[in-house]
Amino acid sequence: MTHDSTRDPVAHHFPPAPRGPFKDVPGAQWRNWHWQLQHRVREVADLDALGFPLTADERRAAEATRSEFRVAITPYYAGLMDPDDPGCPVRLQALPRMGETEADSWDLVDPLAEERDMPVPGITHRYPDRVLFYISPDCAVFCRHCTRKRKVSDPATAANDDQIRGGIEYVRRHPEVRDVIVSGGDPLAFSDDRLEWILRDVRAIPHVEIIRVGTRVPVTMPHRITPETAAMLGRYHPLFVNTHFNHPKECTREAYEACRNLAEAGIPLGNPLVLLRGVNDDAEVVKRTNQLLLMMRVRPYYIYLCDLARGNRHFRTTYEKGLEIMRALRGWTSGLAVPYLVIDAPGGGGKVPILPNYVEERDDEKVVVRNFRGTRHVYYEPVDVKKS
Ligand code: SF4
């Protein structure tokens, strides 16, 4: 295929994904998302047969975590895993490790208390004007750091048609809800027809102003975002898509094209990134991820400190590391690449921003700030405005 540099002047920053053990799969199959879903790695030991050497820790963890959180890895995402590097950032997100079996006393099954604020099954209504609508436990890849591992991957938590109708009815009866976040699991695990049924009914509610769809398929199975799917989503504007890239390795040509399809359907894209120890707890890694995302027309939206979900202990890093990364972003790269660092407060406290302190002094007439290079600057305030 010839690269159209007029249409895609930055595409050369995005190399095609390596296919690893799947290099002999014919292109038409590889690009077919149904094939990708059907051929997911569901048993870690199956990687042996594909010539992918597992570590002793990965083997033990596969058994130890079997009943807690299943394994699913698309061939596409498996192709991004480095067989020779157990510390590969994609591998760490996809393969279980024994760290998942360790827990601190403060670890929680439902760290954000989503089940507590659930007036009807599948709807979390905590904030005044918006709801989270859980529609599917399935995802292309089950991320080992998932915050909802208490139910994601468990088919028993699937929402049947009645439950989904009940969720839509709840929104219809609550005129204060102006923002519906359709999530899971991954809503794009549904067929276009099934997802469109939900979006159409939600969009038909007059007081719903915006719809958001949370999906990781641009990262884990980008072929899912066909132009037709993007056009379907675009029929329900204003509709926003939040995806979840965590590392530059995930920013492939295929991911770029998936995001391009969404952007060309007029869909604003955002990216919450989760700081994960060993994966991206490094300022240069986060900076480059965010720069690549901007070229993909995805706005970095939040950086989360990894929450207190049970089984995530080994992924967590410190508050200080988060601040260090924020200091390394602000001023050193485009402001668009500098999102909020937040703690999603355990127990349902909501997102609390954490900011490095750039204010050095404050008195009745001025604020003294220190900028990203460490130089001091004085900002004088108006004298005729009452200070609080
Ligand atoms: S795609 Fe999202 S919901 Fe699914 S396993 Fe990954 S983090 Fe969890």
Side-chain angles (χ1 to χ4, degrees):
M1 194 168 50
T2 347
H3 166 55
D4 177 353
S5 62
T6 316
R7 186 170 180 234
D8 283 330
V10 295
H12 61 279
H13 290 282
F14 300 90
R19 293 200 198 172
F22 301 96
K23 62 182 181 314
D24 296 326
V25 173
Q29 279 182 356
W30 186 255
R31 289 188 294 275
N32 181 323
W33 67 269
H34 297 284
W35 183 91
Q36 288 279 344
L37 266 189
Q38 284 156 8
H39 290 80
R40 286 183 291 178
V41 175
R42 303 306 302 258
E43 291 287 340
V44 169
D46 290 350
L47 289 167
D48 275 333
L50 294 166
F52 189 102
L54 295 164
T55 64
D57 184 84
E58 288 164 346
R59 277 182 209 286
R60 282 177 57 220
E63 288 312 312
T65 62
R66 180 179 291 281
S67 60
E68 289 287 317
F69 189 53
R70 293 170 199 215
V71 167
I73 313 171
T74 53
Y76 166 84
Y77 204 62
L80 299 183
M81 300 193 308
D82 187 337
D84 301 318
D85 177 11
C88 161
V90 175
R91 185 165 169 166
L92 294 181
Q93 293 180 72
L95 289 181
R97 286 177 292 154
M98 285 305 287
E100 284 182 41
T101 64
E102 297 162 6
D104 287 316
S105 57
W106 47 81
D107 288 350
L108 298 162
V109 173
D110 178 13
L112 310 181
E114 291 172 337
E115 309 294 327
R116 186 193 64 199
D117 294 328
M118 196 169 275
V120 297
I123 291 277
T124 298
H125 191 178
R126 167 173 308 146
Y127 301 106
D129 66 345
R130 54 205 184 274
V131 296
L132 177 77
F133 194 178
Y134 179 90
I135 62 166
S136 160
D138 203 7
C139 303
V141 169
F142 294 133
C143 315
R144 303 316 299 181
H145 58 276
C146 182
T147 196
R148 295 196 187 119
K149 52 176 73 166
R150 68 185 181 279
K151 58 185 187 181
V152 165
S153 95
D154 179 359
T157 71
N160 62 25
D161 289 3
D162 283 346
Q163 180 173 320
I164 290 175
R165 282 193 202 96
I168 294 168
E169 186 53 30
Y170 179 86
V171 175
R172 196 176 284 124
R173 283 190 286 106
H174 286 263
E176 71 275 23
V177 176
R178 42 165 290 284
D179 177 3
V180 177
I181 303 157
V182 180
S183 184
D186 199 317
L188 271 295
F190 278 1
S191 68
D192 283 4
D193 285 350
R194 187 163 169 77
L195 182 55
E196 184 162 21
W197 160 54
I198 298 167
L199 295 177
R200 188 188 304 117
D201 281 11
V202 171
R203 176 42 75 218
I205 300 171
H207 55 264
V208 172
E209 296 177 4
I210 62 171
I211 300 173
R212 291 189 266 174
V213 174
T215 174
R216 208 177 184 212
V217 296
V219 187
T220 55
M221 190 173 65
H223 304 104
R224 173 69 185 88
I225 308 291
T226 61
E228 293 74 28
T229 296
M232 181 279 284
L233 293 170
R235 284 197 278 279
Y236 301 98
H237 279 313
L239 180 144
F240 297 71
V241 164
N242 271 340
T243 184
H244 177 31
F245 288 86
N246 283 330
H247 194 276
K249 263 191 106 165
E250 297 169 335
C251 300
T252 64
R253 177 66 59 86
E254 292 83 346
Y256 171 83
E257 288 172 356
C259 294
R260 186 188 64 199
N261 288 343
L262 292 167
E264 289 186 353
I267 296 169
L269 292 156
N271 190 69
L273 172 148
V274 182
L275 279 188
L276 300 170
R277 198 192 323 165
V279 173
N280 58 9
D281 56 338
D282 176 282
E284 282 309 308
V285 168
V286 173
K287 185 162 75 179
R288 192 57 189 151
T289 305
N290 289 354
Q291 291 167 341
L292 288 163
L293 287 170
L294 289 179
M295 285 190 280
M296 296 161 81
R297 295 189 257 179
V298 181
R299 175 80 199 266
Y301 176 47
Y302 283 127
I303 296 178
Y304 286 98
L305 287 189
C306 185
D307 60 41
L308 300 186
R310 196 180 65 194
N312 282 357
R313 179 180 184 272
H314 59 309
F315 276 121
R316 284 179 219 134
T317 184
T318 60
Y319 158 83
E320 265 310 324
K321 175 59 77 174
L323 288 179
E324 175 195 317
I325 289 172
M326 294 309 291
R327 282 191 212 98
L329 295 178
R330 173 64 65 196
W332 298 102
T333 191
S334 323
L336 283 171
V338 187
Y340 285 107
L341 171 68
V342 293
I343 290 179
D344 213 340
K351 296 174 189 67
V352 180
I354 306 164
L355 300 167
N357 186 10
Y358 293 100
V359 176
E360 206 162 271
E361 270 179 59
R362 168 102 169 84
D363 62 26
D364 283 349
E365 62 173 12
K366 65 182 183 304
V367 181
V368 180
V369 293
R370 199 174 273 282
N371 79 356
F372 70 105
R373 288 190 198 279
T375 60
R376 282 165 54 96
H377 301 266
V378 181
Y379 178 83
Y380 287 94
E381 296 181 292
V383 288
D384 52 348
V385 177
K386 191 171 179 306
K387 312 270 184 336
S388 55

